[in-house]
Amino acid sequence: MTFHEPYSPPRFLSGLLWVSLRFYPREFRDSWSEEMEETFFRRAADVVMDRSTKGLLQFSVREFWAMFRAGIRLRMEGVSLLGSGHNPGPIRGDHERGIRCLAGVPADLKVAARGLGKAPGFTVAAILVLALGIGINATAFSVVKMAVLAPPPFPEAHRVVMVDMLRKDGEEDAGRSGRWPYPMLLAVEELENRFIEPLAGFDDGTVTLTGMGPATEIGMEIVSPGYFEVIGIPFPLGRGFTADEAEEGGPFRVAVVSYSFWRGRLGGDSSALGRVLELSGESFEIVGVAPQGFAGLGGDAELWLPLGATAVFRPGRRAQDFNHQIWVVGRLRPDATIEAARDQMGVIAEGLSDRWPGSRYGMSARSLPEVWVNPRAETSAKLLAIAAAMVLLVACANLSGLLITRARRRVRDGAVRMALGAARWRLIRLYLVESLVLSTLGGILGIGLAFLGNRGLSSAWPDGFLNGAGLGLRVNDPRNLALDGTVLGFAFLIVFLTAVLVGMAPALRVSKGDFARDLKEGTGATRSGKRVWGLDTRATLVGGQVSLALILLIGSGLVSKSLRRLMTVDEGFRTERVLTFEYSLSQSTPPIDYVDNSTLPDRITSAADFDDRLIRRLDALPEVEAATVGCGVLQGYCAVVGVMGVDGRRLEEPPSIAVITVHDRYFEVLEIPVLRGRGFTPQDGLSSNPVVVLSASAAETYFPGVNPVGHLMTIEFAVRGREQAEVIGVVGDVLYGPPDATGVPVAYFSTQERRFANHALIRTSVRPNVAVRAIRSEIHAMDPTVAMSGIASAEELVSRSAGDRRIVFGLLGLFAGVSVLLAAIGTWGIVASSVTNQRRELSLRIALGADRRVILGQVARDSATAAFFGLAGGFGGALAGTRLLDTFLWETSAQDPQTYFFGVSFLFVVILAASYFPGRRATRLDPAQALKAE
Amino acid sequence: MNDPREALPLTALTYHILLTLADGDRHGYGIIKEVERRTGGEVVIETGTLYHAIKRMLDEGLLESVPSSERPEGEDQRRRVYRLNPWGRKVLVAESLRLRKLLRVAEEKNVIPGEAS
């Protein structure tokens, strides 16, 4: 026996096998699937080696069919063997018997293919409709799978826990919950007998990589030694971090790089170990390569540094009790439960409050699979899936209607067959086979569409969906959107389901007919059939389509209204022609250490000097009107801290306040109005008295009804000894987060006094994206070690902040459009066929001088009734169903009357039009010709 | 069932599998390849059909799977190897004799030329 080299089969084969194996009973699969898989792939490899792609396709079809047949027979045998004890069964015969039971199918297939071939227009339309329905559903399912069903990709993921820091009362604290202050982590790490062991922190951020091409800002995480143990995936190369490296005085100048960094920038061989990276002017030696695909729990890391690196990248942070900076994760000990761990963390937090009397925080733990799913992404995925299912139902109803029309035309054909002795079920089977052929072809095309759909979605998937419930976990990677075996299996399932849904109505309808009368009356006898509320089957189907279309229409209308409202929110600053980007400080500027008071003034001054130089050079560019520096707008706050006191009075439960550090021209450049007092001047800084500017909402919160200028505020985030600052002014409220998030009052400080993020905000004289090139080369000329990142115009940021609603609106709108179109086609269809069928009667009436409106009324009766019931049903359905949309609505009621009115009237007009045009034909019938044709 | 003739006639598939295992133990892939080779590609057994048949033949006691301890080192242990057991061999012989009788009749009636002539 020859042994082949390991061979990686085309992906579709794995999917095919996965689906095929599902035909077998579970017991059989349990003991045989592994072996069958092995044999299957070795044979596939043979086929690939000695035949063409056509051979592979042939092979797949044969194998699929054989497994389907064997699986079904095993299931049937399993049922008949139950209870009869051991029955060796006949050795002969059953192979042949199985064939006989399916003997008619190929013949039916031929009949179906011939019938469909004769009506190419119908066939193409049907396949397109189904492809759309199936494609949309396969796409929706892959989204659900990625966003909801996919488990965290770590070994024994149920034991990985996220250790939260919450307020003592268990409430979340906007902007501060979750992350821990460094000293707390260090203290908890030292405790023994924890249920969560190992425990690790990660602090995400960026560093500037130089010495490898142009200076670039890359994502990194500063992690404690247990981090990679918590992840639990072995390293392809090198090692993680040791306890020594977690010390600021230790040998911390080591780094782990991501797999893609290693492959992309370091050539991907073992010589990468020991290479030295230049990071923001500091040297780090590579000691390991992280597992493939792992981008850190924050999701953006290309690089990991040991905790000791805080010495250079987070100076002073390890001593700051108030600065919530580091996320904490851990692994549950095998003998511990999550409840026990949660209780223990509570006790630990109690114990720590002795050391930190001011601590207002408690600790808790949640298992990773629990927090893994981003609720917003989950809701949108489910919404998408439901909407997609509705589109599929509309498509099925539509096609079913088309098939019924076809069936009626062929009613004589069926009657002849039955008169000649065809069994009723053979007739049903013929129709089912026909719809199976249609849905299979539609399914194949639909999978193609789903492939495109996934590609489109993964590029449009909004960033806001990526962060797992705000825990710093990036979980839903759009790269995971793939048509894998599960999705293909799901697509096959829908194909079968559609076939049954579509084929059943016409099959039953035809097989129940009175064939003697059908034979006599032929194609003319088509107004018979059961009626419900005055509607025949086809009209009922159209009514259903109208209902579903209305629900989708109203849903997308509501989301679009919220979107419009969001877009018109006043950001509170100028967004037109404003460019923002983050820059790294020059390497000659030392990082700021807030704890070391002796060096602080120098360091802040040198950073502020750098800002000044930058602003002066940018201001000189013709593309720039005015430049300033601060924290990013619309991208969150610099920090959220506590207000310890007002006018010297201590606040017991310090409320949260957001901090933004700004350059003195910030308010002027962004056109933020100064409502009271003044903004900052170049004189405000470490050498003068501490001053603060409040936002209007902060002024209202802390100084209700009085002019806050001249009052004092004590804010936690501060240089020691300068906590108490004088309020010098009040400015208008500005959006720092997404428009629908609850805002926090804001306190502004001068960058000459303290600073966090470095964002440049530039008012340009040309379009912002045109100015980028000049700005970039100016900065490079000033200092080549300065990296720019996150370049965007303010307008882009505004539209990005509505990203998830945009995608939900886009998809719902698309679905609504498709179903309205289908409902219109359905309506058109019943009116047109009603004209055809009543031709004789209508001609007589016209000949006798009937009014045209009466004629129109008669042919449109069915569609009008269908539309009435459909609109009523859809209205009710929308009222009941739009609650699902709540998450995506903003300042828009789910029962918004305007949207409902618009939806109903729009659909009404569409149906009217769809009835009028075919109906008009009835009024133009030439009686003589119509009667002759009979 | 002591008389193997009671198990006759066999399906073509069963007979092919028994015949293939007559001169040596094989795993599933090996059986498919051997049948394909022997018949010049005329008979190709699909994976699904084969394992259904193997399961049935194991249930009927025609085959047994070779214990892993008897298999050569280094062989992929996921793959089971099948062998004809004494009862299977008896059934194979009985079926072959039955077929020979049938062919004799065909020869006598000059449907196909006799081997001797």
Side-chain angles (χ1 to χ4, degrees):
Chain A
M1 198 53 32
T2 55
F3 281 89
H4 298 292
E5 286 302 299
Y7 143 80
S8 87
R11 281 185 79 137
F12 86 91
L13 277 184
S14 322
L16 181 82
L17 183 66
W18 189 90
V19 172
S20 307
L21 284 173
R22 304 295 118 171
F23 293 126
Y24 288 94
R26 175 180 287 278
E27 312 84 66
F28 184 87
R29 220 164 46 221
D30 284 349
S31 45
W32 295 90
S33 61
E34 230 179 82
E35 198 180 337
M36 287 178 72
E37 196 174 313
E38 208 257 354
T39 304
F40 177 82
F41 283 122
R42 291 187 64 179
R43 299 190 59 204
D46 289 348
V47 174
V48 168
M49 265 200 275
D50 55 38
R51 276 186 227 168
S52 59
T53 331
K54 198 178 143 209
L56 194 64
L57 204 69
Q58 221 168 34
F59 164 79
S60 316
V61 172
R62 283 186 66 151
E63 288 283 323
F64 177 76
W65 180 241
M67 289 196 198
F68 173 74
R69 221 170 50 185
I72 300 299
R73 270 163 57 205
L74 270 164
R75 279 177 191 275
M76 279 157 59
E77 283 165 21
V79 172
S80 66
L81 283 176
L82 269 183
S84 65
H86 177 71
N87 178 357
I91 293 177
R92 65 182 150 153
D94 63 353
H95 201 66
E96 286 82 356
R97 195 170 56 228
I99 289 173
R100 205 178 311 134
C101 132
L102 292 162
V105 170
D108 283 355
L109 273 174
K110 251 181 236 157
V111 173
R114 211 184 307 139
L116 292 174
K118 270 192 218 153
F122 163 80
T123 309
V124 168
I127 290 174
L128 283 179
V129 164
L130 283 174
L132 210 57
I134 292 168
I136 285 173
N137 275 274
T139 308
F141 181 74
S142 21
V143 170
V144 171
K145 190 172 143 278
M146 173 197 80
V148 183
L149 304 177
F154 312 127
E156 289 190 71
H158 61 276
R159 278 178 47 216
V160 180
V161 291
M162 191 81 206
V163 193
D164 303 315
M165 182 150 292
L166 299 169
R167 281 189 178 219
K168 277 227 173 87
D169 55 15
E171 292 292 308
E172 295 212 6
D173 186 358
R176 309 192 70 189
S177 282
R179 290 172 184 252
W180 296 30
Y182 268 95
M184 294 254 195
L185 172 67
L186 299 175
V188 174
E189 268 186 333
E190 278 169 20
L191 298 174
E192 287 179 5
N193 290 322
R194 284 190 321 262
F195 287 142
I196 299 173
E197 171 64 44
L199 179 88
F202 66 97
D203 179 358
D204 45 353
T206 57
V207 284
T208 313
L209 174 71
T210 48
M212 293 176 84
T216 33
E217 203 69 359
I218 60 173
M220 61 99 176
E221 284 175 349
I222 294 180
V223 301
S224 49
Y227 183 75
F228 293 108
E229 239 178 286
V230 171
I231 304 307
I233 313 173
F235 271 34
L237 193 65
R239 61 170 177 91
F241 300 128
T242 64
D244 287 350
E245 289 159 358
E247 301 302 324
E248 290 203 332
F252 62 79
R253 289 177 185 278
V254 291
V256 166
V257 293
S258 76
Y259 193 86
S260 56
F261 188 99
W262 176 55
R263 297 295 295 263
R265 290 184 191 252
L266 304 172
D269 58 44
S270 55
S271 70
L273 292 186
R275 279 187 64 171
V276 173
L277 296 175
E278 187 101 336
L279 303 172
S280 300
E282 306 279 341
S283 300
F284 284 81
E285 184 190 331
I286 297 174
V287 294
V289 175
Q292 189 171 6
F294 183 64
L297 286 170
D300 278 328
E302 289 188 68
L303 196 67
W304 291 265
L305 304 176
L307 209 59
T310 48
V312 286
F313 294 123
R314 301 275 190 270
R317 211 56 72 78
R318 288 165 86 124
Q320 288 177 329
D321 287 344
F322 57 85
N323 198 340
H324 292 238
Q325 182 72 31
I326 190 159
W327 303 97
V328 178
V329 289
R331 222 167 232 280
L332 218 51
R333 249 168 35 191
D335 58 332
T337 63
I338 181 83
E339 289 79 21
R342 202 174 287 151
D343 292 346
Q344 195 189 38
M345 289 319 287
V347 173
I348 288 175
E350 269 314 300
L352 287 182
S353 65
D354 296 343
R355 278 171 70 181
W356 280 281
S359 161
R360 332 189 280 278
Y361 288 89
M363 292 167 192
S364 184
R366 281 181 288 175
S367 81
L368 192 62
E370 205 182 310
V371 291
W372 187 244
V373 173
N374 176 339
R376 223 174 147 83
E378 183 180 3
T379 320
S380 15
K382 282 184 181 160
L383 190 74
L384 184 61
I386 292 172
M390 283 163 73
V391 175
L392 185 66
L393 277 180
V394 172
C396 285
N398 197 280
L399 200 56
S400 210
L402 288 179
L403 278 176
I404 288 180
T405 317
R406 247 171 84 73
R408 281 182 184 171
R409 291 213 191 106
R410 293 187 310 180
V411 86
R412 209 204 294 244
D413 166 69
V416 169
R417 280 165 188 263
M418 276 169 83
L420 290 176
R424 189 155 287 186
W425 70 269
R426 281 291 307 268
L427 219 59
I428 296 183
R429 198 178 68 181
L430 180 61
Y431 282 106
L432 286 181
V433 165
E434 193 177 78
S435 69
L436 188 64
V437 168
L438 283 176
S439 60
T440 307
L441 292 173
I444 291 169
L445 199 60
I447 287 169
L449 283 181
F451 179 73
L452 296 178
N454 277 358
R455 281 254 289 260
L457 265 185
S458 46
S459 59
W461 197 251
D463 253 11
F465 282 3
L466 297 174
N467 300 318
L471 287 165
L473 293 172
R474 172 177 275 205
V475 293
N476 296 314
D477 192 332
R479 281 166 299 186
N480 293 341
L481 269 182
L483 287 178
D484 56 6
T486 331
V487 177
L488 285 180
F490 178 78
F492 267 94
L493 194 77
I494 318 183
V495 166
F496 281 108
L497 210 70
T498 343
V500 174
L501 275 178
V502 168
M504 224 25 150
L508 289 177
R509 165 73 192 73
V510 167
S511 67
K512 255 192 310 201
D514 173 354
F515 67 80
R517 212 184 63 201
D518 284 347
L519 258 182
K520 233 183 330 195
E521 300 188 351
T523 46
T526 42
R527 278 191 59 89
S528 61
K530 214 168 128 200
R531 290 183 157 257
V532 185
W533 291 334
L535 292 176
D536 67 356
T537 325
R538 277 194 64 195
T540 314
L541 288 171
V542 169
Q545 292 171 52
V546 170
S547 293
L548 293 169
L550 183 61
I551 295 175
L552 289 171
L553 199 58
I554 288 177
S556 63
L558 289 172
V559 177
S560 105
K561 189 159 183 176
S562 308
L563 207 56
R564 262 176 295 139
R565 290 244 157 107
L566 272 180
M567 290 295 97
T568 52
V569 167
D570 183 13
E571 290 83 12
F573 65 93
R574 177 201 170 101
T575 54
E576 194 193 336
R577 282 191 284 114
V578 168
L579 184 76
T580 80
F581 59 87
E582 199 171 347
Y583 59 91
S584 60
L585 282 177
S586 158
Q587 280 176 11
S588 54
T589 315
I592 295 161
D593 179 344
Y594 286 95
V595 175
D596 185 358
N597 263 354
S598 58
T599 60
L600 187 61
D602 286 349
R603 289 173 183 234
I604 286 194
T605 312
S606 88
D609 283 349
F610 178 83
D611 290 344
D612 282 336
R613 268 190 296 142
L614 181 77
I615 289 170
R616 264 204 309 279
R617 288 194 70 144
L618 292 180
D619 270 347
L621 290 173
E623 290 87 351
V624 172
E625 270 180 16
T628 187
V629 162
C631 295
V633 281
L634 291 164
Q635 291 163 308
Y637 309 108
C638 281
V640 178
V641 299
V643 178
M644 307 306 288
V646 173
D647 285 331
R649 186 166 36 83
R650 261 188 79 85
L651 296 179
E652 268 319 308
E653 278 284 308
S656 296
I657 196 163
V659 170
I660 304 282
T661 59
V662 300
H663 188 257
D664 52 68
R665 277 167 61 200
Y666 183 83
F667 302 122
E668 179 198 324
V669 171
L670 290 180
E671 296 176 2
I672 300 168
V674 178
L675 304 175
R676 284 170 187 277
R678 61 170 179 94
F680 296 109
T681 64
Q683 283 70 47
D684 295 315
L686 285 174
S687 50
S688 65
N689 286 331
V691 289
V692 61
V693 170
L694 296 182
S695 69
S697 59
E700 190 50 41
T701 308
Y702 295 100
F703 304 98
V706 295
N707 182 354
V709 174
H711 287 265
L712 298 172
M713 273 185 95
T714 313
I715 294 175
E716 204 176 28
F717 149 87
V719 185
R720 251 182 266 160
R722 293 176 68 91
E723 290 90 348
Q724 183 160 298
E726 183 191 340
V727 179
I728 53 164
V730 177
V731 295
D733 280 328
V734 172
L735 270 184
Y736 282 99
D740 53 339
T742 335
V744 179
V746 176
Y748 293 91
F749 290 93
S750 164
T751 39
Q752 315 236 37
E753 177 149 26
R754 57 200 78 171
R755 52 183 304 136
F756 271 122
N758 308 308
H759 275 90
L761 298 134
I762 297 165
R763 208 162 76 200
T764 54
S765 54
V766 292
R767 276 189 295 123
N769 54 349
V770 176
V772 170
R773 178 191 287 265
I775 291 170
R776 192 194 290 278
S777 60
E778 187 64 25
I779 290 181
H780 189 77
M782 173 181 162
D783 187 336
T785 67
V786 172
M788 285 164 73
S789 59
I791 304 169
S793 74
E795 278 164 344
E796 274 164 14
L797 291 177
V798 169
S799 96
R800 213 181 284 168
S801 68
D804 52 351
R805 282 195 181 77
R806 209 171 275 275
I807 195 167
V808 166
F809 166 68
L811 291 169
L812 273 184
L814 176 74
F815 292 1
V818 168
S819 31
V820 167
L821 188 69
L822 288 175
I825 293 173
T827 312
W828 184 298
I830 54 172
V831 176
S833 74
S834 135
V835 171
T836 317
N837 297 333
Q838 303 178 59
R839 202 163 41 191
R840 188 159 31 170
E841 187 189 339
L842 292 171
S843 309
L844 272 175
R845 280 167 162 243
I846 292 175
L848 293 174
D851 189 65
R852 297 195 156 217
R853 267 171 297 176
V854 176
I855 299 290
L856 212 55
Q858 184 182 340
V859 295
R861 200 177 59 206
D862 273 357
S863 70
T865 328
F868 174 76
F869 281 117
L871 289 176
F875 194 85
L879 274 181
T882 39
R883 234 174 307 148
L884 266 171
L885 275 177
D886 265 352
T887 331
F888 300 99
L889 299 185
W890 188 69
E891 301 215 332
T892 308
S893 153
Q895 284 93 38
D896 181 58
Q898 221 184 328
T899 312
Y900 277 68
F901 177 76
F902 172 77
V904 171
S905 24
F906 176 74
L907 202 53
F908 184 71
V909 169
V910 168
I911 291 169
L912 215 60
S915 314
Y916 176 71
F917 291 104
R920 212 171 45 172
R921 247 182 43 210
T923 64
R924 291 182 183 165
L925 280 174
D926 177 357
Q929 213 170 27
L931 288 173
K932 227 185 291 165
E934 289 289 322
Chain B
M1 279 215 297
N2 286 326
D3 188 349
R5 275 173 299 180
E6 281 175 30
L8 306 185
L10 301 176
T11 63
L13 179 63
T14 313
Y15 190 63
H16 270 304
I17 295 174
L18 289 177
L19 215 51
T20 310
L21 294 177
D23 57 355
D25 307 343
R26 285 194 168 81
H27 49 63
Y29 175 78
I31 296 175
I32 295 176
K33 281 281 139 190
E34 166 67 15
V35 171
E36 203 175 328
R37 189 192 58 76
R38 201 177 55 218
T39 61
E42 241 170 69
V43 178
V44 180
I45 309 171
E46 291 87 13
T47 315
T49 316
L50 176 80
Y51 283 98
H52 183 198
I54 288 182
K55 183 194 180 285
R56 183 169 46 77
M57 291 165 78
L58 285 171
D59 288 348
E60 287 164 3
L62 294 170
L63 307 181
E64 60 193 29
S65 84
V66 178
S68 52
S69 54
E70 293 177 28
R71 277 187 254 161
E73 282 296 305
E75 186 50 67
D76 185 347
Q77 296 296 322
R78 276 191 311 175
R79 203 184 296 155
R80 270 172 282 200
V81 173
Y82 304 97
R83 106 168 13 143
L84 215 55
N85 68 9
W87 168 251
R89 193 166 288 278
K90 273 188 205 163
V91 172
L92 175 63
V93 171
E95 175 72 352
S96 305
L97 290 173
R98 185 185 71 85
L99 288 174
R100 179 145 79 192
K101 264 191 229 158
L102 270 179
L103 289 177
R104 288 264 161 77
V105 175
E107 281 172 19
E108 276 162 23
K109 291 182 180 277
N110 282 326
V111 179
I112 48 172
E115 245 170 291
S117 57

